[in-house]
């Protein structure tokens, strides 16, 4: 089994089986002297339960998953062009698809005899929403080897912090362009103070966005570090449990052996006492017989 085959097997299996299966593969690799495989296999991280549900979709419902993620480009186009009607329609479609995919993942999990809760399905929905907003996350989800639960707190793919949405009614009320032959009326010059105010607002929005992105990046780093530490702690706990189980089994065997040995010792002591009594009786009989022979 190469590393890809091991990874496919691990991320397809329920998360509860992940650590034991991976560690067994690492031990086998070390025993056969394949240190490179052992090191690479040990780096494979157990998925969260929500990530495992996403992996189920990538493996068993790939066409439906691609269909959901395929609307990301349309959402981005609608945001860039400020097409409110298209954005509303796509957002409604997105919500229905995400909810449907979450339900399907729950059904697949139950077929694998894995329980799912509403909160777990909501976490999966967060992952799918993040995949729609971030192409990098979408690739992670498509890989079928997602390990972490991801949430997205931005405004969506390709959002422009300086954009101002024009309402449909305003578009309809906008005057048609004047005929080229007719002279256009001169538009009044904008108030410089108003222009400056709008520039300040745009600059402020840009700063707010930069601050929010920096905070989000820091939070993601903290989350990833915490997840890595959690994974390390769980692995250590699992190894400790295995060691306790092994030592407990050894102790039970030693105690059984001690009890058997004690019983054997007691039986041997009783047999030795009986043999001593028999030897004494035989010695007495021998002495009496010898005395009678001498008297004769």
């Amino acid at each position: 089994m190469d590393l890809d085959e091991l990874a496919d097997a691990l991320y397809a299996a329920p998360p509860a089986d992940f650590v034991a299966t991976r560690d067994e593969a690492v031990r086998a690799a070390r025993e056969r002297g394949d240190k490179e495989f052992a090191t690479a296999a040990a780096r494979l991280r157990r998925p969260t339960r929500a990530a495992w549900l996403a992996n189920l979709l990538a493996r068993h419902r790939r066409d439906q998953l691609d269909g959901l993620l395929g609307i990301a480009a349309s959402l981005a186009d609608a945001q860039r062009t400020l097409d409110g009607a298209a954005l509303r329609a796509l957002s409604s479609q997105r919500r229905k698809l995400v909810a449907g995919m979450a339900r399907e993942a729950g059904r697949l999990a139950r077929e694998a005899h894995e329980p799912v809760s509403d909160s777990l399905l909501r976490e999966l929905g967060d992952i799918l929403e993040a995949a729609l907003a971030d192409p990098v996350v979408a690739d992670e989800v498509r890989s079928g080897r997602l390990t972490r639960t991801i949430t997205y707190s931005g405004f969506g793919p390709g959002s422009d912090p300086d954009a101002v949405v024009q309402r449909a009614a305003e578009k309809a009320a906008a005057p048609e362009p004047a005929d080229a032959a007719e002279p256009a009326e001169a538009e009044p010059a904008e108030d410089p103070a108003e222009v400056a105010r709008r520039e300040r607002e745009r600059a402020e929005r840009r700063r707010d966005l930069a601050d929010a992105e920096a905070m989000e990046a820091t939070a993601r780093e903290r989350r990833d570090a915490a997840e890595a530490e959690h994974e390390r702690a769980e692995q250590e706990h699992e190894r400790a449990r295995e060691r306790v189980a092994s030592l407990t089994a050894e102790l039970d065997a030693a105690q059984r052996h001690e009890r058997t040995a004690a019983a054997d010792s007691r039986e041997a002591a009783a047999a030795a006492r009986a043999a001593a009594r028999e030897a004494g009786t035989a010695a007495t009989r021998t002495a009496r017989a010898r005395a009678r022979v001498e008297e004769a």
Side-chain angles (χ1 to χ4, degrees):
M1 178 183 293
D2 62 22
L3 188 62
D4 279 337
E5 289 172 338
L6 173 63
D8 282 338
L10 286 173
Y11 290 113
D17 299 336
F18 188 97
V19 172
T21 304
R22 180 200 58 199
D23 289 354
E24 178 58 33
V26 171
R27 281 192 291 269
R30 287 173 178 163
E31 288 175 0
R32 66 174 180 266
D34 192 346
K35 294 182 179 179
E36 183 178 354
F37 183 95
T39 301
R43 291 194 183 114
L44 296 174
R45 295 177 57 192
R46 184 175 70 174
T48 63
R49 289 185 59 77
W52 177 70
L53 289 177
N55 294 338
L56 277 183
L57 294 176
R59 293 173 185 279
H60 300 289
R61 296 295 183 267
R62 185 54 180 264
D63 290 343
Q64 294 94 316
L65 181 63
D66 285 341
L68 169 64
L69 299 179
I71 70 171
S74 300
L75 281 167
D77 289 340
Q79 288 174 332
R80 281 192 294 269
T81 58
L82 307 178
D83 189 338
L87 187 58
R88 285 191 295 275
L90 287 167
S91 296
S92 176
Q93 181 186 6
R94 177 197 65 200
R95 286 191 295 272
K96 291 177 182 178
L97 288 173
V98 166
M101 292 297 288
R103 288 193 299 271
E104 183 62 17
R107 191 179 69 80
L108 291 172
R110 285 187 287 271
E111 286 181 358
H113 307 291
E114 287 292 314
V116 292
S117 62
D118 290 341
S119 62
L120 186 59
L121 294 182
R122 284 194 293 272
E123 289 182 23
L124 172 61
D126 290 340
I127 291 174
L128 297 176
E129 293 282 3
L132 283 167
D134 188 337
V136 174
V137 177
D139 289 341
E140 287 186 64
V141 172
R142 286 191 180 98
S143 73
R145 298 180 185 179
L146 185 69
T147 61
R148 57 201 176 103
T149 300
I150 309 170
T151 58
Y152 184 76
S153 58
F155 297 101
S159 61
D160 179 2
D162 295 331
V164 178
V165 178
Q166 184 179 10
R167 294 181 176 82
E170 293 172 345
K171 289 184 178 180
E176 293 294 328
D179 190 275
E182 297 180 4
E185 294 183 5
E187 294 184 358
E190 287 193 87
D191 183 354
E194 179 63 20
V195 173
R197 184 188 64 78
R198 287 202 300 269
E199 287 297 331
R200 287 194 300 273
E201 288 181 353
R202 280 193 288 268
E204 184 177 353
R205 285 197 294 269
R206 292 190 189 97
R207 286 193 299 272
D208 289 345
L209 176 62
D211 291 343
E213 288 176 339
M215 291 177 64
E216 182 179 1
T218 301
R220 286 184 177 182
E221 289 176 0
R222 285 199 298 267
R223 179 202 60 202
D224 291 346
E227 287 181 352
E229 177 60 21
H230 180 212
E231 178 69 17
R232 185 205 63 75
E234 284 196 340
Q235 292 172 15
E236 185 64 26
H237 182 208
E238 186 66 26
R239 285 191 289 269
R241 288 178 59 186
E242 291 175 359
R243 180 63 175 157
V244 167
S246 175
L247 291 174
T248 301
E250 290 181 16
L251 177 61
D252 288 344
Q255 288 174 334
R256 287 194 299 272
H257 182 265
E258 187 273 337
R259 288 192 294 270
T260 301
D264 290 344
S265 177
R266 288 192 296 271
E267 290 178 2
R273 288 192 297 271
R277 286 193 298 272
E278 289 177 3
T281 301
T284 300
R285 185 181 299 117
T286 299
R288 289 174 179 172
R290 183 178 292 113
R292 285 195 298 271
V293 169
E294 290 176 352
E295 289 175 356

